[in-house]
Amino acid sequence: MEHVQVLIAGGGIGGLSAAIWCQRLGLSCLLVEKADHLGGQLLQIRNEIVDLPPRVYANGSALLDDLLRHPAIDAVQPRLEETIISIDVSTRMVKTTKSDYRVDFFIAATGASPNEIPALSGCKKVLTTSFSTTAQADMLSAQDVAVIGGGDRALESASNISRFARHVDLLVRSDHLRARSEWIARLEKLPNLRVFWETEIESYEAREERIALKLRSANNSEPAEIVVDWILPRIGVHGNSSVFSSLATFGDAYLKTDEFQRTSASEWIYALGDVSNGAPYASLSLAVGQAMKAVKHISLQIQQP
C-alpha cells in the first residue's frame, strides 16, 4: 500500500494544473489518468482557444503541447491507464485498477462525458462527440444530417453543417430552444434547416447506406420518420462522478463543492473542473483557477498546527 499526500484523479487541464500547483507549493502528489494519454477533453477541441490569455491557441492539442512542456509535469510522472475504483471516506483509502493508496487529500478532476441516446445504441451512422463542425463539416457535403439538441452547441453545429449539407434536421425535445439569442437568430437564416419540436428518437433502421429515424413527438404536425445520412447528438454532458457514490451531486451528476472546492462529504476530498462546474460554467480558465484554489487550500490545511 502506497501513502500519497495529494492524489489527483484526471489528466486534463484541471488535474495537470493541480499537479503544477502541488509542485510549486512543495506538496507531494501523484496523478493518475484512466486513458493511455494525458490531456482529457483538450484533444477534442478543434477550434481556437481564446480564453487563456495572453496566448491564443490554434486548438486543444496546441495548448496541451505547451502544458506538457512544463517541468512540473515531468517531475510528477503521471500514471496512465489507472482508474479510480472506490474511495472510503472514513479511512481515506483509495482503490484503483492498479494499486491501493492511503491518501491525505484527494482531488477529483475527472471531467465530464457526453450524454447518450439509448435508442441509437449500435447505430454506425452516429458521429462521435469529438466530431468538430468547425474543422470537419465539409465531410458532410451534400449529405442529410440530423442534429439532436436545443442548446448552444447543437445550434452552432447545425449552423456550421448547413454550409455543406444538403439538408439539416434539428430535433428538439422541448417546445423551445435553450441556446443564446445570437445562435437562434443565426438559425432562422438557414434555408436548408428544419426544426422538429417536442421530438425524440424512438428507434432507427438501417436502409442501405442511410438511416431511417422513427420519431416520437407531442406535436402531431411532425413526421413520424425521417431518413438521413448522419446523426449528430448534441444533448449535453454529465459529470464523471459515478465512482464517488458517497458524495453529494447536483444536476447531471456534478459534484457539489464549497468555496474552496471541497466536496460535501469530507474535508479531504476536493473536486474541480467539469466534474464539479456543470455545463453552463464549463471553461478551461475556470478549471485552472479552481486547481490553484484547491491546492492552496490543501497547503493551508497542512500548515495548520
Side-chain angles (χ1 to χ4, degrees):
M1 183 179 298
E2 202 172 338
H3 173 250
V4 177
Q5 190 172 38
V6 181
L7 179 60
I8 303 167
I13 193 169
L16 292 171
S17 298
I20 291 171
W21 274 99
C22 283
Q23 288 285 308
R24 181 175 179 182
L25 297 178
L27 304 180
S28 173
C29 74
L30 171 65
L31 187 150
V32 298
E33 163 58 47
K34 68 178 182 179
D36 61 359
H37 58 272
L38 297 172
Q41 295 182 63
L42 284 176
L43 296 175
Q44 298 180 18
I45 301 176
R46 307 292 180 86
N47 54 283
E48 281 191 341
I49 297 173
V50 299
D51 61 347
L52 280 173
R55 286 197 59 184
V56 173
Y57 292 91
N59 49 46
S61 293
L63 171 55
L64 180 60
D65 288 344
D66 254 10
L67 191 55
L68 294 183
R69 282 193 286 268
H70 197 290
I73 303 303
D74 186 57
V76 169
Q77 297 184 332
R79 298 181 183 179
L80 303 178
E81 298 183 276
E82 184 167 355
T83 305
I84 304 295
I85 295 176
S86 64
I87 295 180
D88 190 317
V89 175
S90 60
T91 64
R92 302 196 180 198
M93 300 296 298
V94 178
K95 183 178 182 61
T96 73
T97 50
K98 293 188 176 180
S99 188
D100 293 333
Y101 301 99
R102 181 171 60 84
V103 308
D104 295 334
F105 296 92
F106 179 86
I107 296 177
T110 47
S113 294
N115 296 327
E116 297 181 351
I117 301 173
L120 292 176
S121 177
C123 181
K124 296 181 180 180
K125 287 289 191 170
V126 176
L127 295 166
T128 66
T129 55
S130 62
F131 183 84
S132 170
T133 60
T134 302
Q136 298 174 287
D138 59 341
M139 295 172 56
L140 303 175
S141 180
Q143 304 281 294
D144 296 327
V145 183
V147 178
I148 307 169
D152 285 347
R153 197 171 183 212
L155 269 63
E156 178 183 11
S157 297
S159 177
N160 291 341
I161 291 171
S162 70
R163 293 183 294 136
F164 302 94
R166 182 169 50 220
H167 296 108
V168 178
D169 290 330
L170 180 66
L171 309 185
V172 184
R173 185 173 59 180
S174 67
D175 61 357
H176 65 280
L177 297 171
R178 296 179 288 105
R180 289 174 293 179
S181 57
E182 53 262 41
W183 284 118
I184 296 175
R186 185 177 301 186
L187 192 77
E188 294 171 348
K189 299 177 182 179
L190 303 179
N192 59 341
L193 181 138
R194 296 184 299 177
V195 180
F196 294 73
W197 301 104
E198 299 180 273
T199 300
E200 297 182 75
I201 296 175
E202 191 169 80
S203 63
Y204 73 91
E205 176 185 305
R207 293 186 184 171
E208 296 181 353
E209 296 299 316
R210 309 188 84 204
I211 295 294
L213 297 177
K214 297 187 183 299
L215 307 178
R216 178 176 61 253
S217 178
N219 189 339
N220 294 329
S221 65
E222 304 293 9
E225 177 185 286
I226 58 174
V227 180
V228 298
D229 296 292
W230 293 98
I231 306 159
L232 181 60
R234 292 295 199 230
I235 56 172
V237 298
H238 61 272
N240 293 329
S241 63
S242 59
V243 70
F244 313 118
S245 57
S246 60
L247 306 181
T249 61
F250 70 96
D252 289 331
Y254 300 110
L255 293 174
K256 282 186 177 180
T257 60
D258 66 10
E259 67 271 30
F260 303 113
Q261 301 305 130
R262 290 179 301 187
T263 62
S264 58
S266 175
E267 294 185 351
W268 62 278
I269 301 177
Y270 293 68
L272 56 89
D274 287 356
V275 73
S276 65
N277 291 332
Y281 294 97
S283 166
L284 299 176
S285 53
L286 180 57
V288 171
Q290 290 173 333
M292 176 275 295
K293 178 179 278 190
V295 176
K296 277 198 170 184
H297 192 260
I298 290 172
S299 178
L300 291 172
Q301 307 314 300
I302 292 174
Q303 293 174 21
Q304 288 181 355

